[in-house]
C-alpha cells in the first residue's frame, strides 16, 4: 500500500516535471520491449541453438571419453592375454589397428523387397558375421575358444558404442552447419535413452572382458541350477550343433531335455538348431517346450519379478524365435515361457543379486510347469535362453 | 517524499532482481538436463561357492577365471569336497 501511494504521489509530481521524466520513461519502456519481445523473437532460435549445442557438445565429449576408455580396456585385455600366453609378433599397435578395423566392420541386412525366405538369409549372414569376427580375433590371439568369444562380444559392444557416437556427431555437425536447431533438437530429445544405452554397453564391455555373468545370463543360469539341483542322472548328449549344450535328465520320472548355449564363453548358442536336432533327428516327442529368458521391464516394475506366459521367449533379431515357433506349430507342441524382468542396463551389466535370486524362483516355476504338463515317462524340452557368459554347465 | 529518480531506481532494482530470479530458476531447471554426465557404475563382483552335497555356502570376492560351474579350491568342512561356484553377482544395483 505504501509503495502504491508513493507511486501515485510521485507520478502526480512527475507530471509537473518536464523533459527528464519523459526521456527516462521512454528509455525504460524501450528497454523492456526489447528485452521481452523483440529480443526473444529475433534471437530466440539462436539462443536455443547455443543452449542445445552446448548440451550436445558435452554429451559428445562424454561419449568420446567412454568410447576411449572402453577401447583402451579391450586393448589392454588382449595385450594381457598376449603376454600371458607368450604369443610372438603381436604388438600393441597391431592390436589397436585390428580392433579399429573390426569396429568399422559392417553387416548388410538382406533386402526386404522380397520377404520369401528372409529368415534363413538373415541366419546365414549373422552366422557368417560371427564366424568372421571370431576368426579375425583367433588370427590375432590363438587361445581358448571361450576367451575369444568374450573378446568378440566386447568388440561388438565397442562397435555399437562407436555407432552411437558417430550418429550423434553427424546430427550435431549437420545442425551446426546449417544453424538449424531443430536438427539438434532431435538428438536432445533422445539424450536420456542415449545415456542409458551407453551406460549399459560400457558396463557390458566391463563384464565381457572379465568373463562375468550379465543380467541376460539369467536364462542359462536357471538351466544350470535346474540341472544341478533338481535333476537326476544328467547325461550330456553329443551332437553337431555348434556352441550349444544339450543334456538329458530325469525330473520326478519325466525326461527333460535341457538346452542352453555352451559356456562359459560369451555365446547365445544355436537354440533353434538344437530343437530341430532333437525333434527331427532324435525323434523326441515333447509334451511342451519351456523357455526361460530375461525380459525388459517397464520403469516402475520391480527387478527380478517372474511372469509366466505362452509363446517363445527369445529376444534378438528373431531368427531363432521364428524357427522354434515354426517347429512347434508343425508338431502342435505347446510352448510356455517364464520371464525374469529387468531393465536394459541390468540386462547388459554384471548380474545383480535380485536377478541371481530370481533364477531360484524361475527354477521352481519351471518344475511346476513340467509337473503340470507332462506325466511320468513323458518328454519335455527346457531352453535356457540368453547369453551364457560366465555360466558353464 | 520520494523523488522520481529514486522511484525509477527502485523500479529498476525490482525488475532486475526479478530477472535474476528467473535466470536462476532456469539454470536450476536446466542443470538436470545439461550437466548429468555419463558414468559407469560397476559394483564389486561377489562369487558364491556351494558344496555339491550339502547347503554349505561361502561368499568371496570375484577372482579372474571364476565362472558358474567352476570347481574352486576351497573345500567343504563336512564332506571335504571342492566347492562349486553357484552364483556371481553384485550387490550394488546398477544406476537407477
Ligand atoms: Zn558339504
Amino acid at each position: 500500500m505504501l509503495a502504491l501511494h508513493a507511486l501515485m504521489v510521485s507520478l502526480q509530481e512527475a507530471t509537473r516535471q518536464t523533459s527528464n521524466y519523459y526521456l527516462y520513461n521512454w528509455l525504460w519502456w524501450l528497454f523492456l520491449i526489447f528485452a521481452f519481445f523483440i529480443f526473444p523473437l529475433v534471437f530466440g532460435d539462436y539462443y536455443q541453438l547455443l543452449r542445445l549445442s552446448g548440451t550436445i557438445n558435452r554429451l559428445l565429449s562424454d561419449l568420446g571419453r567412454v568410447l576411449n576408455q572402453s577401447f583402451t580396456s579391450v586393448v589392454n585385455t588382449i595385450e594381457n592375454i598376449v603376454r600371458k600366453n607368450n604369443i610372438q609378433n603381436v604388438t600393441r599397435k597391431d592390436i589397436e589397428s585390428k580392433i579399429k578395423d573390426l569396429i568399422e566392420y559392417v553387416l548388410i541386412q538382406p533386402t526386404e523387397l522380397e520377404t520369401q525366405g528372409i529368415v534363413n538369409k538373415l541366419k546365414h549372414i549373422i552366422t557368417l558375421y560371427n564366424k568372421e569376427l571370431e576368426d579375425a580375433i583367433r588370427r590375432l590371439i590363438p587361445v581358448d575358444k571361450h576367451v575369444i568369444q568374450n573378446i568378440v562380444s566386447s568388440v561388438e559392444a565397442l562397435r555399437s558404442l562407436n555407432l552411437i557416437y558417430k550418429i550423434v556427431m553427424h546430427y550435431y555437425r549437420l545442425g551446426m552447419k546449417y544453424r538449424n536447431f531443430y536438427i539438434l533438437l532431435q538428438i536432445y530429445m533422445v539424450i536420456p535413452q542415449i545415456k542409458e544405452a551407453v551406460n549399459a554397453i560400457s558396463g557390458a564391455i566391463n563384464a565381457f572382458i572379465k568373463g562375468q555373468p550379465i543380467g541376460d545370463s539369467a536364462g542359462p543360469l536357471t538351466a544350470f541350477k535346474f540341472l544341478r539341483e533338481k535333476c537326476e542322472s544328467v547325461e550330456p548328449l553329443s551332437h553337431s550343433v555348434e556352441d550349444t549344450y544339450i543334456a538329458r535328465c530325469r525330473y520326478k520320472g519325466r525326461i527333460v531335455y535341457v538346452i542352453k548355449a555352451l559356456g562359459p564363453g560369451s555365446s547365445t548358442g544355436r537354440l533353434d538348431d538344437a530343437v530341430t536336432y532333437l525333434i527331427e533327428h532324435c525323434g523326441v516327442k515333447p509334451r511342451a517346450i519351456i523357455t526361460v529368458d530375461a525380459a525388459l521391464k517397464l520403469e516402475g516394475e520391480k527387478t527380478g519379478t517372474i511372469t509366466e506366459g505362452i509363446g517363445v521367449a527369445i529376444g534378438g533379431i528373431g531368427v531363432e524365435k521364428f524357427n522354434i515357433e515354426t517347429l512347434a506349430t508343425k508338431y502342435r507342441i505347446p510352448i510356455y515361457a517364464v520371464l525374469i524382468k529387468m531393465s536394459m542396463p541390468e540386462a547388459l551389466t554384471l548380474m545383480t543379486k535380485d536377478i541371481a535370486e530370481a533364477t531360484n524362483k524361475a527354477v521352481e516355476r519351471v518344475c511346476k510347469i513340467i509337473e503340470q504338463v507332462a506325466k511320468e515317462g513323458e518328454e519335455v524340452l527346457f531352453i535356457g535362453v540368453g547369453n551364457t557368459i560366465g555360466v558353464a554347465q | 517524499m520520494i523523488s522520481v529518480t529514486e522511484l525509477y531506481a527502485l523500479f529498476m532494482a525490482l525488475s532486475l532482481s526479478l530477472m535474476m530470479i528467473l535466470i536462476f530458476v532456469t539454470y536450476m531447471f536446466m542443470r538436470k538436463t545439461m550437466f548429468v554426465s555419463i558414468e559407469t557404475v560397476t559394483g564389486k563382483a561377489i562369487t558364491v561357492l556351494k558344496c555339491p552335497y550339502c547347503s554349505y555356502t561361502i561368499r568371496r570376492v570375484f577372482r579372474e577365471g571364476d565362472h558358474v560351474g567352476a570347481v574352486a579350491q576351497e573345500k567343504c568342512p563336512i564332506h571335504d569336497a571342492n566347492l562349486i561356484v553357484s552364483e556371481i553377482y553384485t550387490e550394488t544395483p546398477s544406476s537407477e
Side-chain angles (χ1 to χ4, degrees), chain B residues 51-56 76-80 83:
Chain B
C51 171
Y53 305 109
C54 65
S55 59
Y56 177 74
C76 172
I78 308 161
H79 296 89
D80 198 38
L83 301 180

Side-chain angles (χ1 to χ4, degrees), chain A residues 263-322:
Chain A
S266 168
S267 163
T268 49
R270 310 244 178 106
L271 307 175
D272 48 345
D273 289 349
V275 176
T276 314
Y277 170 79
L278 282 178
I279 294 178
E280 305 221 308
H281 291 86
C282 305
V284 176
K285 293 198 166 38
R287 296 293 301 174
I289 298 175
I290 306 167
T291 50
V292 178
D293 194 10
L296 284 188
K297 67 165 190 172
L298 298 171
E299 290 288 322
E301 277 184 300
K302 202 169 166 292
T303 300
T305 322
I306 298 194
T307 39
E308 279 176 46
I310 299 290
V312 179
I314 298 182
I317 296 175
V319 174
E320 294 174 314
K321 189 175 154 80
F322 175 85

